[in-house]
Structures are given as structure tokens and as C-alpha cells.
Amino acid sequence: SEHKRPIKYRDVAFGSTIIPLMMAGIFYGLELWFTSSKLLSYPLNLLGMLFIIPGGALALWCFSVIKTIPYKAALVTWGLWARVRHPIYLAGIFVNFGIALLIGTVLIVILPLGYAMIKILLDTILEERNLRKNFPKEYEEYSRKVPSWIPRIG
């Protein structure tokens, strides 16, 4: 069949936010068990909230836009997608970086951020392959004009 299983955005949200939070908790517990190597202590670790809050808000806004569009009905190129091709993944990076800062231990910084970056890079490759297949001309033009990760300002 031509249509593959549509993306379930709750799965995307689960994979990019809930799993890293669970991993952060597990690794935080392990690190407390073995060592107490804090990178950032209170109040500097609260800087993590400067990434978690806008990252979470960005993800929620993106999901609210995406869920209104029927699967394969249109290539989203307006709003934040006119500035950066992967705003949802960018939001995931912000949230994961914020979690790492908030908890502030060495293991928490390395493992969940590593997981997030690998997952996001793999998801990006798969998503772009799918978009090129479903919207060949439109996506090619869009990807020439709009950067993948660093938002275009102006």
C-alpha cells in the first residue's frame, strides 16, 4: 500500500521528552549511588529552566499545529517551519539540555544529551527521507531555502 503508518505525535512526544526524563532519573540515582560529581550547584542549575520552559512551550505549539493537518495532506512550511525545518527536534534539544543543567551532574549531562542527539539525528534522517518521497519538488525547494537546525532570523 502507498500509505505507511502515520506518525503518532504522542509517540514522538514520548520519545523526545518522557524517555529522556526517565533516563535522567535513573542515571541521577546511579550517579548519587556511586559519586556526587556535580557540574552545577544551586542556584546555577536553575538555568536549566531557561531551556526547559521555552523548549516545552515550543514543542506544545508545534504539536498543536501539526495535529490539525491530515497525514500527507501538506508540507508544513509556515510559522516556525519557515525559519527552521525541525522545530520539534530543536525543542527536544532545548528540553534535554535544560534537564541536564537542572540536575547538573556529569553523567546526566553526557548520557541523556547523547541519547537525545543520536535520536534526533536519526529521526531527522528518516523524516527527511519520508518528506522527500511524499513531497519531492516541494521539499527539495523548501530544504534549499530553510536551514535544518539553526533558525533563520529575519
Side-chain angles (χ1 to χ4, degrees):
S1 79
E2 180 183 330
H3 293 287
K4 293 189 178 196
R5 184 175 83 87
I7 296 170
K8 292 191 175 170
Y9 293 103
R10 71 168 191 262
D11 295 345
V12 174
F14 183 79
S16 59
T17 56
I18 303 300
I19 290 174
L21 283 170
M22 289 175 14
M23 287 178 60
I26 291 167
F27 291 126
Y28 183 58
L30 289 173
E31 187 155 1
L32 287 176
W33 184 270
F34 293 109
T35 181
S36 60
S37 55
K38 292 287 252 183
L39 285 178
L40 294 173
S41 296
Y42 179 82
L44 289 177
N45 65 331
L46 295 180
L47 292 172
M49 296 307 289
L50 295 176
F51 291 90
I52 294 171
I53 292 170
L58 175 63
L60 288 173
W61 182 84
C62 289
F63 288 127
S64 72
V65 170
I66 290 292
K67 74 177 186 175
T68 65
I69 302 165
Y71 180 61
K72 290 188 180 183
L75 176 64
V76 180
T77 59
W78 61 89
L80 287 173
W81 286 270
R83 306 258 180 231
V84 64
R85 289 198 313 262
H86 303 288
I88 294 173
Y89 298 147
L90 190 59
I93 291 170
F94 266 66
V95 168
N96 282 282
F97 185 68
I99 292 167
L101 287 177
L102 188 64
I103 294 173
T105 61
V106 175
L107 196 57
I108 294 301
V109 170
I110 294 170
L111 293 174
L113 280 179
Y115 162 80
M117 293 308 297
I118 290 168
K119 181 184 183 327
I120 288 169
L121 290 174
L122 291 175
D123 286 352
T124 299
I125 291 167
L126 295 173
E127 180 181 344
E128 288 195 353
R129 182 182 306 156
N130 195 25
L131 290 168
R132 280 188 169 84
K133 179 182 169 195
N134 293 326
F135 306 99
K137 292 177 186 173
E138 301 96 325
Y139 193 76
E140 197 58 44
E141 181 181 335
Y142 173 63
S143 64
R144 276 196 312 268
K145 292 179 181 177
V146 179
S148 187
W149 292 101
I150 299 172
R152 185 181 49 165
I153 310 289

